[in-house]
Amino acid sequence: MDNQNSWLAKLGVRHPIFAAPMAGGPSTPELVATVSRAGGLGFLGAGYWSADQTRDAIRRVRKLTEAPFGVNVFIPETPARDDPQRSVSTMKAWLRNWADEPGLAAEIDALQPEFPSRASFEAQMEVILEERVPVISFTFGCPDPQVIARWKEGGASIIGTATTPEEAVQLEQAGCDAIVAQGYEAGGHRGTFLPMDETRLIGTMALVPQVVDRVRVPVVAAGGIMDGRGILAALALGASAVQMGTRFLVAEESGTHPAYKHAILSWRDRGTRLTRSFSGRFARGIRNAFMDALDHAVDAKEIEIPPYPLQNTLTQPIRRQAQQQNDAERMSLWAGQGYPLARPMPALAVVQELLEELERVKRSLSL
Ligand SMILES: Cc1cc2nc3c(=O)[nH]c(=O)nc-3n(C[C@H](O)[C@H](O)[C@H](O)COP(=O)(O)O)c2cc1C
């Protein structure tokens, strides 16, 4: 606990509550600034942004608050060794059935998805370092120790994402100042970067104490934490803070599409599943028609999904049209297993409620 307090105090963060970075729209500068101003730690999800978009968002947060905040990036994937062209062409043909306008089918046909260039990632990192963002977190990989050492030169605290104890150990050895331990319950993409047996996914309750026992740096628990009960449980397991995504997805300040918010709040019994259908990388979201149809076709061995981020590029026109038409059945509805506990409210009220619940549960347990 001393370790926890000193780490957060050094960051200038008063409460052990991080609003998860949520790339693709939900993590607006307003959401990030509100959580940070309330004494938690807000994160921009910069994974899909260019260097310029990243700079703009950082400056917008700074206009709203002087409180510390974080920026999260995606470590670029190493391109697959097999040529993905065959799976790209068959996927284009399959996706055409979901394009209900000829223009959209032609747009999908014309796509030439590519692995992101190292150069664009490096340009984005230069901006984040130039802007002296106090906390940098990353997912989908583990950079070399020299790279992390360079990121730390300006004083930033570096946080990596692990889904197994082995990944946490590798991140600590590479020089990370803290580790996000992301359990099976978590909404959005899994941060997994070491080869993984998909029958061995570890839940937050089992993962956090194992990571705490294996590393010396502070651990941030993520996955399925929705209220004060969950926060206290994570702290009891040895976490220094929690990173909550789904709870903040329906906050007033989040940029989540209204039809997506509506699905979170009203599709209570659909449940979530891990799927590669939207992006090519495993991510957890609320089940919908698109996910069910593609996962079914994959299970029936009718089709293969191209690797991330190629599939992400291929499904983009359909997801964009779904947004225009308010059709949540074709959007990626990333959410954690706890999503039925989400309620729409301003982000400041979320943080205040979480802190009150945390105190209440603490008191009730000491009876
Ligand atoms: C919509 C959405 C987008 C996400 N995007 C990112 C991201 O860009 N970077 C990242 O490290 N984690 C991302 N995550 C995962 C979160 O960091 C965190 O692990 C997860 O939200 C915790 O589980 P919970 O949703 O049950 O709280 C995302 C999660 C959601 C729900």
Side-chain angles (χ1 to χ4, degrees):
M1 288 281 170
D2 285 352
N3 185 16
Q4 156 197 335
N5 293 339
S6 61
W7 179 57
L8 292 182
K10 207 176 105 207
L11 294 178
V13 175
R14 282 179 282 131
H15 307 302
I17 299 171
F18 296 180
M22 293 186 279
S27 296
T28 59
E30 290 71 22
L31 177 64
V32 174
T34 305
V35 172
S36 286
R37 223 186 289 121
L41 189 66
F43 274 88
L44 287 169
Y48 301 121
W49 288 338
S50 66
D52 286 345
Q53 289 171 309
T54 306
R55 186 187 291 103
D56 285 352
I58 292 170
R59 293 191 176 170
R60 279 173 59 201
V61 175
R62 287 233 158 92
K63 279 209 178 111
L64 297 168
T65 183
E66 288 176 2
F69 64 98
V71 174
N72 174 270
V73 294
F74 293 168
I75 303 301
E77 309 274 309
T78 314
R81 256 173 299 148
D82 311 334
D83 180 8
Q85 275 327 308
R86 204 170 53 90
S87 62
V88 166
S89 335
T90 44
M91 184 54 67
K92 280 183 178 176
W94 191 89
L95 288 171
R96 254 185 254 126
N97 301 325
W98 287 77
D100 56 12
E101 284 169 14
L104 203 69
E107 186 183 335
I108 294 170
D109 275 341
L111 287 171
Q112 300 201 323
E114 285 178 353
F115 289 96
S117 77
R118 277 255 147 211
S120 63
F121 175 70
E122 276 157 22
Q124 182 186 40
M125 283 311 303
E126 282 316 305
V127 164
I128 295 169
L129 298 174
E130 266 163 40
E131 293 289 325
R132 299 214 159 239
V133 174
V135 183
I136 301 171
S137 77
F138 62 83
T139 188
F140 301 168
C142 179
D144 291 339
Q146 312 83 278
V147 174
I148 294 188
R150 205 183 140 244
W151 293 352
K152 286 164 86 165
E153 276 167 14
S157 216
I158 309 295
I159 309 179
T161 307
T163 58
T164 60
E166 304 87 274
E167 288 180 344
V169 168
Q170 186 166 325
L171 290 164
E172 180 184 44
Q173 284 170 354
C176 286
D177 297 297
I179 313 283
V180 169
Q182 186 191 38
Y184 173 69
E185 301 89 324
H189 283 99
R190 296 185 54 71
T192 305
F193 60 90
L194 291 177
M196 179 76 173
D197 169 358
E198 281 147 26
T199 61
R200 189 217 160 193
L201 302 171
I202 310 175
T204 307
M205 184 93 178
L207 179 64
V208 171
Q210 293 184 61
V211 173
V212 166
D213 286 354
R214 293 274 292 269
V215 301
R216 264 171 296 179
V217 292
V219 175
V220 179
I225 300 166
M226 297 298 291
D227 53 26
R229 295 171 292 187
I231 298 175
L232 191 63
L235 298 180
L237 295 172
S240 297
V242 298
Q243 176 155 295
M244 301 168 71
T246 303
R247 182 69 203 266
F248 287 101
L249 257 181
V250 293
E252 252 168 42
E253 295 86 343
S254 88
T256 311
H257 190 281
Y260 180 179
K261 278 192 181 174
H262 180 77
I264 294 174
L265 297 170
S266 58
W267 292 1
R268 301 261 155 181
D269 296 328
R270 284 250 185 143
T272 64
R273 203 173 56 224
L274 286 176
T275 183
R276 290 182 59 236
S277 58
F278 286 102
S279 73
R281 210 178 206 288
F282 275 112
R284 180 176 297 285
I286 300 175
R287 288 181 47 198
N288 64 5
F290 182 90
M291 188 199 284
D292 283 350
L294 186 44
D295 285 348
H296 181 77
V298 171
D299 289 347
K301 304 219 179 311
E302 289 162 19
I303 193 160
E304 272 178 36
I305 298 179
Y308 176 91
L310 308 188
Q311 178 71 353
N312 200 54
T313 307
L314 292 175
T315 61
Q316 221 200 350
I318 287 167
R319 288 182 284 126
R320 193 193 61 230
Q321 193 192 45
Q323 292 201 350
Q324 286 159 358
Q325 298 176 347
N326 283 316
D327 179 8
E329 294 288 4
R330 290 177 291 157
M331 294 178 185
S332 48
L333 303 175
W334 304 141
Q337 288 183 331
Y339 81 92
L341 294 168
R343 275 169 299 121
M345 47 206 277
L348 176 61
V350 175
V351 177
Q352 285 168 343
E353 186 179 282
L354 292 173
L355 292 170
E356 282 161 21
E357 278 171 3
L358 181 59
E359 288 313 310
R360 207 168 47 240
V361 184
K362 266 191 208 166
R363 277 200 305 276
S364 73
L365 287 178
S366 59
L367 281 177

